[in-house]
Amino acid sequence: MERILFCNIAYMQYYDFALIKETPKYGGQYVKDTGDAYEKYNFHVCDDGRVRGFVETKYIDGSAAHQRPRQLRIEKIDGEFKNAEKIDGVTVVFCAHSDTHKKTVVVGWYKDAIVYRTRHQYNGRQFNIECAADNARLLSESERSFFVPRASQGDFSFGQSNVWFAKDETAAGYVKRVLEYIADQTRAVIPIEE
């Protein structure tokens, strides 16, 4: 079975704050309080040809302190990685709430990604997911129409957490459709011109 991780992130158009400054929306209390989000660089192509993304894992000591981030439980992607610091070969699907559709939609993905248990630093910013830029795809706003169900609506998917490991049997058909959709979309992330 293919390794997959769904990540709920704040909504942005470009996710490349190094080149285009934009204000994130719908990213939880931190985004409301600060107007900022660590995921603002999720589709920025770094000098080494990689993209480094972030999904909020929340904090053991509460969001106000921001001192002790929770680990990303990568063993829920694949149980063989229970004691590992990272897992590779993961399809990471980034999802966010869309004003256009008033629902959560797929905004992009990383194929063959590395997902880290703990947060890492690159050029002074946090990340916990990375892949080669050629394996990353950010959908344009007009392409963002693949809906993601919400557990609060009685479906499988995200609950209180920003990550969903898609292991429930009832989600198998949905996950298959997502993977087929991703396989049909071949264009990688194209760096924004300055």
Side-chain angles (χ1 to χ4, degrees):
M1 185 171 182
E2 188 162 347
R3 295 175 182 153
I4 192 165
L5 175 67
F6 288 81
C7 297
N8 189 51
I9 59 175
Y11 190 91
M12 300 178 79
Q13 183 174 353
Y14 299 107
Y15 296 93
D16 194 348
F17 202 75
L19 298 177
I20 295 184
K21 309 297 185 226
E22 60 180 321
T23 304
K25 298 193 303 191
Y26 310 118
Q29 196 61 47
Y30 180 79
V31 172
K32 284 181 192 175
D33 291 347
T34 66
D36 197 9
Y38 292 130
E39 54 263 51
K40 67 187 177 188
Y41 294 102
N42 277 13
F43 288 90
H44 173 72
V45 179
C46 300
D47 291 339
D48 62 357
R50 298 187 68 75
V51 290
R52 290 176 173 85
F54 180 83
V55 63
E56 180 59 68
T57 55
K58 302 187 181 176
Y59 296 84
I60 294 168
D61 53 357
S63 61
H66 283 106
Q67 297 298 314
R68 297 174 53 209
R70 294 185 186 279
Q71 294 183 358
L72 209 158
R73 308 252 331 261
I74 61 174
E75 66 274 10
K76 289 190 172 188
I77 300 170
D78 184 330
E80 292 184 24
F81 290 80
K82 185 174 183 177
N83 297 313
E85 170 54 29
K86 65 183 179 181
I87 182 173
D88 58 4
V90 181
T91 297
V92 178
V93 183
F94 293 104
C95 312
H97 179 80
S98 163
D99 275 340
T100 303
H101 299 290
K102 309 290 186 231
K103 293 181 179 183
T104 302
V105 295
V106 172
V107 297
W109 55 82
Y110 294 176
K111 290 280 294 170
D112 198 24
I114 299 169
V115 179
Y116 295 94
R117 181 177 299 282
T118 58
R119 299 177 185 192
H120 289 252
Q121 294 279 329
Y122 178 82
N123 285 347
R125 61 182 178 85
Q126 294 185 48
F127 72 97
N128 46 17
I129 307 164
E130 72 172 305
C131 77
D134 289 346
N135 289 336
R137 171 81 197 279
L138 175 65
L139 297 172
S140 68
E141 286 197 289
S142 64
E143 295 174 298
R144 296 176 185 178
S145 59
F146 198 106
F147 299 122
V148 181
R150 299 300 298 210
S152 61
Q153 299 163 343
D155 292 319
F156 46 81
S157 189
F158 297 104
Q160 294 290 324
S161 175
N162 289 321
V163 294
W164 175 46
F165 300 98
K167 292 293 185 187
D168 7 11
E169 278 185 37
T170 57
Y174 177 79
V175 171
K176 182 177 183 238
R177 286 192 305 277
V178 169
L179 292 172
E180 288 169 351
Y181 174 74
I182 290 171
D184 286 343
Q185 313 294 317
T186 56
R187 187 170 43 122
V189 96
I190 297 169
I192 300 166
E193 297 298 325
E194 292 188 62

